[in-house]
Amino acid sequence: MIGLWVALAAVMVPLSGKLSSVTTDRAVDTLPASAESTKVAVLEDSLPGGEDNTFVFVYHRAGGMTDADRATVERHYDTLTKRYPPKAAAGEDDEGPSTRLSTDGKAMMFTLDVSTTYGGPEAIVGPLRVAAKDRPAGLQLDVTGPAAVDGDMDAVFDGIDLQVFLTTVVVVTVLLILTYRSPVLWFIPLVVVGAAALTAMATVYLLVKGFGIVVNDQNSALLTILVFGVGTDYALLLIARYRETLHHHENVRVAMVHALRGAAPAIVASAATVVAGLLCLLAADLNSTSGLGPIGAAGILCALVAMLTLFPAVLVVLGRRIFWPAIPRFSTAVEKKPGLWGRLGTTISRRRWVATLGSFGILGVLAVGLAGNTGALRVQDQFLSAPESVTGFTVLRQHFPELGGQPMTVFTRPAYQERVLDIVKGTHGVAVAIPGQTSGGWADISVFPTDAPDTVAEYDTIKRVRTAVHAVSGAEAIVGGPSAENLDTEVTTSRDEKLVIPLVLAVVLIVLGLLLRAIVAPLVLMATVIVSFAAAFGGSVFIFDTILGFKGIDYSVPLLAFLFLVALGVDYNIFLASRAREETVRLGTSEGMLKALSATGGVITSAGLVLAATFAVLTTLPLVMLIEVGFLVAFGVLLDALLVRSVLVPALTLLIGRRIWWPGRLSRPTAEPPNGPQPLADEEELALQR
């Protein structure tokens, strides 16, 4: 087995390094082909010169622009337009000169459209800023505009995969050392998970090349987090079961076989639940969201295969000494102490209603946070520290309030350009509309809204412009641009949420039903996970709004957080419920649940801490969206592992009793042991015989 993995690594490791070469964050790749802004972007790309990157140069001086300042602005404009010639030689039009002076006389600005043939925004924005450095002392310049924002965003993502990978490795290493308190044991799961992560990256690269799946930088980072998080969880569960069986079996190979037979079904069921939930994303229209489905599923499957093949093989080869200094010794009589989780189970059993109502009370208080600021986060508010492109928008609105929004692009048939232009100019919320070039059977119009970028008011203006131009029969007019792309993304995501969330719930519920062979238990477990998600979301919104001062929730966060918290949150319930069902066969429902809590409490809590810590790695990155996803999922996992799975689920099971397994045979009175728990010489052997 180890030899097979070495051979696999020789093929996969070189491919894993190529994943970054196929990632894309362009809106035209992210949005569905049916989106109007996508059609505009595709049309722009097909015309001579390709799609444009729009930059806005805003010069300002507190005491007012001097003659030298104005001459400098004109010189910069002439130099840059010669270096990056526009598509149409229409430097001036009926709207005025190419450079514009603010009414307060304190600022000047001009717009520069640079063809994508010169490179992407990140490659262009730096040279543009350098080219405009030659200016009088005290004259400030902000290079902003949609392309500058994209360039600064791309700069944030530079090297993010390596940063996430290294930070995750460090976090998981520290947690494994603290968990096992062994100088060597921690290294084995780390190496195996690393092998799974590299294999997953290579697999995703092959999926992209073979099926055209869209992978953006966000999904690439989430892939690493997922593999390390769930892979380490599986390792913790298997090692815990292996340590148990080593006390009952002298031969390490036999002990591993028993450990796999005991732990593998729950691990496989857990992986199947997460994979099924992720694949539900294929129903989404947003390409980046639907792409995350097979990407995440590939990561989970690679982690599962590695942990059920390579990891056991390495542990068996290394033998018992890998646990040094706390080496588990073979003994026919193993003393079992109640432990913390056994005592917690006893307390819950005595105060079932208190535990249930108290848990719901805590979750309810946290869920109140949903009444906070859950509005959409603007692109300009994504940065922890505002770059030049973002501060430039503020300056632009301060001195040119009539040009506060990002430019829209309207395409129409040439014969209708004048008519469409007049209609657009008369639309409420439009500051300026400028006719552009005619090429390839299309004419374009640049439209500047009056409202700030990515605000409700600007989106309303885009909707009004679309409605107005669509009414012109024969014009075939379409409206796009950066803000229109963001609007279409938000609308598509909202539509995806309504489709994907119920689908995820249905699929996960079916998997739970098949695993537990019951109806009531899956419904109870799903209800607790949904309540836990609401509490995690509410508590996170309060933190984001009140403490961190974020200006909203990124449009992608609710769906991603729901998917991860439902799929991963159910994991811990699967580990607990599957063990409880196993113990119920011989102990009865109440004693079976308490036994399961005592046996799995420590390892599941450790697994929850590891998974939460891996997602918390995202909070170290300088992007609000990733911080929100990382914090929300980490908080939700901790809430689920420490409260829902440890207190609420056991308390509900004890209250419901054997009816929790309805309609299965365990729900019938005859399935309960008549005289309480029966002592066994070897519990593991009896379980295997069953």
Side-chain angles (χ1 to χ4, degrees), residues 350-662:
R350 291 173 180 170
R351 298 176 176 83
R352 303 175 185 186
W353 279 107
V354 173
T356 301
L357 297 178
S359 299
F360 277 123
I362 294 172
L363 296 173
V365 170
L366 290 172
V368 172
L370 290 171
N373 180 20
T374 56
L377 186 73
R378 300 190 311 159
V379 174
Q380 289 77 17
D381 296 328
Q382 286 277 10
F383 303 92
L384 274 186
S385 178
E388 182 178 322
S389 58
V390 173
T391 58
F393 266 115
T394 303
V395 175
L396 185 66
R397 281 195 56 76
Q398 180 181 351
H399 297 288
F400 300 92
E402 73 279 9
L403 299 176
Q406 298 189 96
M408 286 181 272
T409 299
V410 179
F411 275 107
T412 181
R413 294 300 181 183
Y416 295 87
Q417 184 181 29
E418 290 298 326
R419 183 177 174 187
V420 171
L421 179 64
D422 291 338
I423 290 175
V424 171
K425 286 181 178 179
T427 303
H428 176 68
V430 172
V432 176
I434 305 171
Q437 68 166 343
T438 298
S439 177
W442 292 93
D444 71 82
I445 301 170
S446 296
V447 183
F448 290 85
T450 58
D451 299 292
D454 296 318
T455 57
V456 174
E458 189 197 33
Y459 287 167
D460 288 342
T461 298
I462 295 172
K463 294 174 184 177
R464 285 193 293 268
V465 170
R466 283 178 169 173
T467 301
V469 300
H470 290 170
V472 181
S473 178
E476 300 180 37
I478 50 177
V479 180
S483 288
E485 291 170 353
N486 296 336
L487 170 61
D488 288 342
T489 300
E490 188 175 313
V491 170
T492 305
T493 302
S494 177
R495 186 167 60 245
D496 288 344
E497 287 177 0
K498 296 174 183 176
L499 173 64
V500 173
I501 288 178
L503 189 59
V504 170
L505 290 175
V507 168
V508 172
L509 191 62
I510 291 172
V511 173
L512 283 174
L514 294 174
L515 173 68
L516 301 177
R517 284 162 279 180
I519 294 178
V520 175
L523 289 173
V524 170
L525 295 181
M526 284 300 299
T528 61
V529 170
I530 293 172
V531 172
S532 176
F533 168 74
F537 207 147
S540 298
V541 167
F542 176 80
I543 297 293
F544 298 154
D545 187 21
T546 307
I547 299 177
L548 299 180
F550 294 162
K551 297 180 181 179
I553 305 294
D554 185 79
Y555 66 87
S556 64
V557 169
L559 181 56
L560 289 177
F562 178 84
L563 174 69
F564 291 139
L565 286 180
V566 168
L568 298 175
V570 166
D571 270 9
Y572 302 127
N573 284 332
I574 286 176
F575 298 145
L576 176 65
S578 61
R579 185 63 180 261
R581 192 182 189 286
E582 177 184 326
E583 299 293 345
T584 296
V585 173
R586 68 180 188 85
L587 298 176
T589 301
S590 297
E591 291 296 329
M593 173 54 73
L594 296 179
K595 172 67 175 177
L597 178 62
S598 177
T600 64
V603 64
I604 294 180
T605 300
S606 298
L609 291 173
V610 170
L611 187 62
T614 53
F615 269 95
V617 167
L618 293 175
T619 64
T620 64
L621 302 175
L623 206 63
V624 172
M625 180 272 295
L626 292 177
I627 293 174
E628 290 180 340
V629 171
F631 181 88
L632 205 164
V633 176
F635 180 49
V637 167
L638 288 177
L639 195 64
D640 195 81
L642 299 178
L643 178 63
V644 176
R645 192 271 313 158
S646 300
V647 179
L648 181 57
V649 171
L652 286 173
T653 302
L654 294 173
L655 284 173
I656 298 172
R658 65 174 180 269
R659 291 184 296 276
I660 195 79
W661 307 114
W662 186 87

Side-chain angles (χ1 to χ4, degrees), residues 65 257 320 536 547 605 628 663 673 684:
M65 300 289 288
V257 170
R320 294 175 184 268
I547 299 177
T605 300
E628 290 180 340
E684 197 67 23

Side-chain angles (χ1 to χ4, degrees), residues 667-688:
S667 65
R668 295 189 285 271
T670 54
E672 295 285 340
N675 300 315
Q678 303 297 311
L680 295 173
D682 191 338
E683 297 174 11
E684 197 67 23
E685 283 293 338
L686 185 60
L688 289 173

Side-chain angles (χ1 to χ4, degrees), residues 15 20 22 75 80 112-113 138 206 241 279 283 332 407 486 490 496 586 604-605 615 638:
L15 293 176
S20 59
V22 294
R75 175 167 52 84
L80 292 172
L112 184 70
D113 291 326
L206 294 175
R241 201 70 176 236
L279 291 180
T332 55
N486 296 336
E490 188 175 313
D496 288 344
R586 68 180 188 85
I604 294 180
T605 300
F615 269 95
L638 288 177

Side-chain angles (χ1 to χ4, degrees), residues 234-255:
Y234 299 160
L236 290 169
L237 290 164
L238 183 57
I239 287 179
R241 201 70 176 236
Y242 181 46
R243 191 193 292 268
E244 280 184 41
T245 59
L246 283 173
H247 288 295
H248 298 281
H249 303 280
E250 188 172 7
N251 187 294
V252 293
R253 295 171 185 264
V254 174

Side-chain angles (χ1 to χ4, degrees), residues 42-51 87 411 437 439-442 444:
V42 171
L43 187 56
E44 283 182 320
D45 199 38
S46 66
L47 295 177
E51 186 182 355
K87 293 178 183 177
F411 275 107
Q437 68 166 343
S439 177
W442 292 93
D444 71 82

